[in-house]
Amino acid sequence: MKRKKIVAGNWKMNLSWVEAFDLATSIKEKSEGVAGIQKIIFPPLPYLQMLSVIVEDEADFFVGAQNCSEHEKGAYTGEVSAEMIESAGASFVLVGHSERRMYFSETNEQLIQKINQALKSDLKIIFCFGEHLNERNNNLHFETVKQQLVEVLKHYPKEKTNELLIAYEPVWAIGTGETATPAQAQEMHAFVRKTLSEIFSNEIAQTISILYGGSCNAQNAKELFSCEDVDGGLIGGASLKAEDFCIIMNSF
Ligand code: PGA
């Protein structure tokens, strides 16, 4: 099975309602005729429903949430459940983004619960992981990444791996303008695929798309995507400009 090629845009806590509408509409227009590349946008939660309507007739264009609650429902003020996200028309959810791990102290235990909630509501996951700079400098990056993957994904049901996407996001390259070199990205992605084959099976590992995230942009996407085990990108800053996002989409 050929792996899906994917360009995902993590808009984080940016854009007004009108800006979000314009950006999604513009991406939709510009991506007409771009075949075989799956596009996923992750806007702030209040825009999910509006943007789901924009993409509903598109074959390869989806909307996802940047987070979901680990709880099913109840007295959790301010939280949004996977079921609510799905009912707003979204198809994906990010789990394990470094900003959630860092600023909201999300633990592996919570990530496992979030994945369970998402799968119960038929949402697909992009599971994010990656090492901090001090871990790379101390040569602990492989160990760190392996631990993040194994501790969470060993609970992920094998029969749903055809829907699983994962994103390697070296924390030192997120929002910093620093990018992993194509050689660093390929080295880690190959290691990740080997780890996936240990968690699931070699056959399954070959089918899971591994995205690169961390200052991927219109200038470096082509080189990064030319690496054998890089199947696309999870883009932050550069996903806020339709033009750049579309250049990235055309970089395979
Ligand atoms: P960046 O963010 O592209 O702005 O570095 C990537 C991400 O956090 O997903």
Side-chain angles (χ1 to χ4, degrees):
M1 189 181 123
K2 264 186 89 187
R3 290 193 290 273
K4 289 187 212 93
K5 295 192 187 314
I6 291 156
V7 177
N10 176 8
W11 294 1
K12 308 193 180 183
M13 201 170 74
N14 291 299
L15 307 180
S16 68
W17 200 97
V18 171
E19 288 166 341
F21 177 90
D22 287 347
L23 179 55
T25 309
S26 175
I27 293 172
K28 180 173 159 175
E29 281 164 13
K30 288 183 196 300
S31 61
E32 257 162 41
V34 180
I37 311 293
Q38 205 169 92
K39 285 113 15 211
I40 314 166
I41 48 174
F42 291 88
L45 285 172
Y47 311 148
L48 279 184
Q49 207 218 342
M50 179 240 319
L51 299 187
S52 298
V53 171
I54 294 180
V55 307
E56 76 188 341
D57 295 328
E58 302 286 302
D60 276 326
F61 197 175
F62 302 94
V63 169
Q66 297 167 21
N67 179 37
C68 72
S69 172
E70 70 261 37
H71 303 290
E72 189 171 344
K73 61 173 161 187
Y76 299 102
T77 301
E79 287 290 89
V80 176
S81 73
E83 195 182 349
M84 293 166 188
I85 288 166
E86 195 276 334
S87 71
S91 329
F92 285 85
V93 63
L94 294 181
V95 176
H97 192 281
S98 64
E99 286 154 16
R100 304 273 337 156
R101 294 178 195 252
M102 262 191 306
Y103 305 139
F104 303 95
S105 310
E106 289 189 356
T107 62
N108 283 342
E109 196 42 52
Q110 283 172 300
L111 303 184
I112 294 165
Q113 297 309 326
K114 283 171 191 251
I115 291 177
N116 288 341
Q117 292 302 334
L119 293 181
K120 264 204 266 173
S121 295
D122 285 331
L123 290 173
K124 299 179 184 117
I125 311 290
I126 299 187
F127 179 65
C128 309
F129 56 94
E131 81 282 1
H132 286 260
L133 185 59
N134 63 330
E135 290 159 336
R136 180 163 279 268
N137 287 344
N138 288 306
N139 220 13
L140 292 170
H141 44 304
F142 292 120
E143 202 179 303
T144 304
V145 160
K146 184 166 185 169
Q147 202 175 357
Q148 288 173 331
L149 286 170
V150 172
E151 283 185 10
V152 174
L153 293 184
K154 70 179 180 199
H155 300 280
Y156 187 95
K158 241 186 187 183
E159 64 278 10
K160 294 215 172 182
T161 44
N162 60 333
E163 299 186 340
L164 174 65
L165 302 175
I166 66 172
Y168 168 55
E169 302 211 301
V171 181
W172 48 272
I174 295 183
T176 58
E178 285 229 24
T179 320
T181 63
Q184 283 173 322
Q186 171 55 27
E187 183 187 37
M188 183 56 90
H189 280 225
F191 175 79
V192 167
R193 202 172 301 288
K194 183 168 156 280
T195 307
L196 292 175
S197 75
E198 289 160 15
I199 301 170
F200 300 117
S201 72
N202 184 39
E203 206 187 349
I204 290 174
Q206 298 307 321
T207 65
I208 297 176
S209 296
I210 308 175
L211 315 186
Y212 170 80
S215 299
C216 180
N217 58 38
Q219 286 75 46
N220 60 27
K222 214 177 187 79
E223 236 194 324
L224 286 162
F225 294 175
S226 68
C227 301
E228 194 184 328
D229 287 290
V230 178
D231 305 305
L234 177 56
I235 327 292
S239 72
L240 297 172
K241 287 195 200 115
E243 205 103 299
D244 287 13
F245 193 68
C246 293
I247 293 175
I248 296 169
M249 206 187 310
N250 285 298
S251 295
F252 288 94

